[in-house]
Amino acid sequence: MMAQFALEEQAKHLQELFNYAEIEVDGTIIPVNLTSSREGTKVRFFIDVPANVVGRITKRIIKDAAGRICWSDPPGQININKPDTDLRFEMPIQAIWKEVAAT
């Protein structure tokens, strides 16, 4: 029971930690909307790219309130040709206990 409570608290903190998103489109970094939802120990982050942003997406970036990059795609990992439609990326994160053997 205590472990479940602790994991849910960690998920809440994780959800509050990330505030901003950017994407790289045709070599230019532009800000986009970042939202999130949480169910228990699972947090889903959503990067929303509006229809008026058109081109080749080659990087997604998530930043904290201080503007530090917390996560981004490694170079060459994504290469999406985005047409003039809304697009939403979802990044789910599940808080879990990791057990390690004492040495």
Side-chain angles (χ1 to χ4, degrees):
M1 190 68 149
M2 189 168 182
Q4 184 66 23
F5 173 78
L7 288 172
E8 288 180 11
E9 289 299 308
Q10 288 298 315
K12 284 180 195 175
H13 181 67
L14 180 66
Q15 185 178 17
E16 296 168 358
L17 185 63
F18 305 125
N19 302 93
Y20 305 101
E22 299 174 337
I23 59 170
E24 183 178 64
V25 180
D26 296 331
T28 302
I29 302 292
I30 62 168
V32 290
N33 193 32
L34 177 70
T35 57
S36 63
S37 70
R38 184 180 56 80
E39 292 178 29
T41 61
K42 187 171 192 173
V43 179
R44 290 181 171 94
F45 291 97
F46 303 100
I47 295 177
D48 295 311
V49 185
N52 66 340
V53 175
V54 177
R56 185 172 304 277
I57 298 174
T58 53
K59 186 180 279 190
R60 300 166 295 176
I61 302 165
I62 296 179
K63 294 183 174 184
D64 65 8
R68 294 178 298 226
I69 295 175
C70 302
W71 178 87
S72 71
D73 290 301
Q77 183 174 346
I78 69 164
N79 191 8
I80 298 171
N81 236 354
K82 185 189 168 296
D84 59 351
T85 59
D86 291 334
L87 177 65
R88 174 175 262 193
F89 293 104
E90 176 185 349
M91 280 144 310
I93 299 173
Q94 178 78 41
I96 59 171
W97 285 112
K98 181 177 180 183
E99 304 221 7
V100 295
T103 55

